[in-house]
């Protein structure tokens, strides 16, 4: 990653499905904390758009299995252009790991279900650490701030345990909406790719049509689809977008839509 740290090259993040969503979240983190421009591509589209790659650009692949054919092809293309390549991967000894100049392991253990869950969480944790390290190396984050952010990251397991205690109330909510055939997920900023991931998980697990959307774009067409039959999952966390998300929630309610709010505020 040296060319990127020195600001001599660009950083590309590539992945498929859930891994692509993790890359999108990573772009928000890295651009904010390390002030590095980040390009995010579907690995399956990367080679077909004929990207302009230079030897000082760094391409990092994100993959759970490390064997995704499209992601391997993206790294091969980067190699052909002389780019350093890295990976964030869960499986030791995988093809993508072996291809990488720098391989970051997620140590999430086997992903038993079809829907990638713990692998996604682990990918975000590794990307977070990478973002903090880049910010520190590039002088945009001091040591105490980096340490504070890492300590907060280590509290994630405790917070997740608290969320899992809500299983019964979440199950009750699921029973209420079990007959719906469409669900809309909304988020702003880094929560937009989380909305995309939530919609993907609902599709994979329940076979219900779901769509993730940037909340600010609702008024540019999708708001016309909102009615009493459409549950809208709105991610409203305590960040710079909180008040704007509340405005988007009011827009949905004004159209008669039912809002399911996911928030870290009471």
């Amino acid at each position: 990653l040296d060319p990127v740290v020195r600001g001599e090259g660009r950083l590309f993040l590539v992945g498929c499905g859930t891994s692509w969503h993790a890359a999108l979240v990573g772009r928000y983190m890295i651009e904010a904390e390390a002030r590095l421009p980040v390009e995010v591509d579907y690995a399956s589209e990367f080679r077909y758009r004929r990207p302009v790659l230079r030897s000082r650009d760094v391409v990092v692949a994100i993959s759970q299995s490390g064997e995704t054919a499209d992601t391997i092809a993206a790294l091969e293309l980067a190699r052909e252009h002389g780019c350093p390549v890295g990976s964030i991967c869960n499986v030791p000894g995988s093809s993508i790991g072996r291809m990488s100049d720098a391989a970051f392991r997620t140590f999430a253990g086997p992903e038993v279900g079809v829907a990638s869950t713990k692998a996604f969480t682990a990918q975000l944790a590794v990307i977070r650490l990478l973002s903090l390290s880049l910010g520190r190396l590039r002088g945009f984050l001091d040591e105490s701030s980096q340490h504070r952010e890492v300590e907060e990251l280590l509290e994630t397991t405790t917070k997740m345990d608290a969320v899992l205690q809500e299983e019964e109330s979440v199950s009750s909510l699921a029973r209420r909406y079990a007959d719906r055939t469409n669900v809309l997920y909304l988020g702003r900023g880094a929560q937009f790719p989380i909305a995309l991931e939530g919609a993907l998980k609902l599709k994979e697990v329940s076979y219900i049509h779901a769509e993730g959307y940037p909340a600010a774009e609702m008024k540019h067409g999708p708001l016309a689809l909102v009615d009493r039959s459409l549950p809208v999952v709105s991610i409203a966390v305590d960040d710079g977008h909180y008040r704007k998300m509340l405005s988007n929630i009011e827009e949905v309610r004004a159209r008669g839509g039912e809002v399911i709010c996911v928030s870290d505020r009471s």
Side-chain angles (χ1 to χ4, degrees):
L1 295 177
D2 285 350
V4 170
V5 172
R6 294 192 298 267
E8 299 171 353
R10 296 167 298 166
L11 177 61
F12 289 79
L13 300 179
V14 298
C16 296
T18 286
S19 296
W20 180 70
H21 295 156
L24 288 174
V25 177
R27 176 167 64 188
Y28 282 96
M29 293 180 185
I30 294 169
E31 290 191 341
E33 293 168 342
R35 306 308 299 153
L36 278 170
V38 179
E39 295 198 28
V40 177
D41 276 271
Y42 281 115
S44 56
E45 293 292 327
F46 189 61
R47 53 181 165 162
Y48 298 114
R49 75 174 179 90
R50 299 176 64 193
V52 179
L53 293 171
R54 301 167 297 183
S55 60
R56 293 184 181 275
D57 295 331
V58 177
V59 179
V60 176
I62 304 175
S63 172
Q64 192 285 127
S65 68
E67 302 295 342
T68 307
D70 287 320
T71 308
I72 291 172
L75 288 188
E76 288 174 343
L77 178 65
R79 283 280 194 210
E80 290 172 9
H81 285 78
C83 300
V85 299
S87 63
I88 296 172
C89 185
N90 189 39
V91 179
S94 65
S95 297
I96 288 174
R98 293 196 305 272
M99 292 174 67
S100 304
D101 299 307
F104 304 94
R105 284 281 310 283
T106 53
F107 296 101
E111 191 68 88
V112 179
V114 172
S116 176
T117 51
K118 62 181 180 180
F120 176 67
T121 307
Q123 286 170 353
L124 293 184
V126 171
I127 293 169
R128 183 78 178 124
L129 292 173
L130 177 61
S131 176
L132 293 172
S133 295
L134 288 171
R136 180 83 175 96
L137 289 170
R138 285 177 50 78
F140 292 101
L141 202 64
D142 59 42
E143 186 176 357
S144 61
S145 297
Q146 182 186 25
H147 180 74
R148 184 173 60 254
E149 294 294 338
V150 171
E151 288 294 320
E152 185 173 330
L153 183 61
L154 291 173
E155 296 175 4
T156 302
T157 53
T158 302
K159 294 176 180 178
M160 291 179 73
D161 284 339
V163 171
L164 291 173
Q165 297 303 312
E166 300 295 324
E167 180 179 0
E168 181 52 43
S169 60
V170 172
S171 295
S172 175
L173 197 64
R175 288 190 291 269
R176 175 177 173 179
Y177 294 106
D179 63 337
R180 307 302 173 90
T181 56
N182 297 283
V183 180
L184 185 63
Y185 285 70
L186 300 178
R188 280 178 175 262
Q191 304 307 319
F192 162 51
I194 299 298
L196 292 175
E197 177 64 9
L200 177 61
K201 287 295 165 278
L202 190 63
K203 295 172 192 171
E204 291 179 314
V205 172
S206 66
Y207 304 101
I208 293 173
H209 170 257
E211 184 176 0
Y213 223 83
E217 293 298 305
M218 277 290 292
K219 57 182 173 289
H220 300 297
L223 193 60
L225 301 175
V226 176
D227 59 22
R228 296 185 185 281
S229 68
L230 181 68
V232 180
V233 180
S234 300
I235 307 173
V237 299
D238 192 7
D239 60 11
H241 303 285
Y242 182 74
R243 291 191 177 277
K244 288 186 175 294
M245 273 304 303
L246 293 184
S247 296
N248 295 130
I249 289 171
E250 289 304 317
E251 288 177 341
V252 171
R253 294 177 64 185
R255 297 281 303 192
E258 293 195 50
V259 176
I260 302 170
C261 186
V262 178
S263 181
D264 54 357
R265 292 181 62 165
S266 57

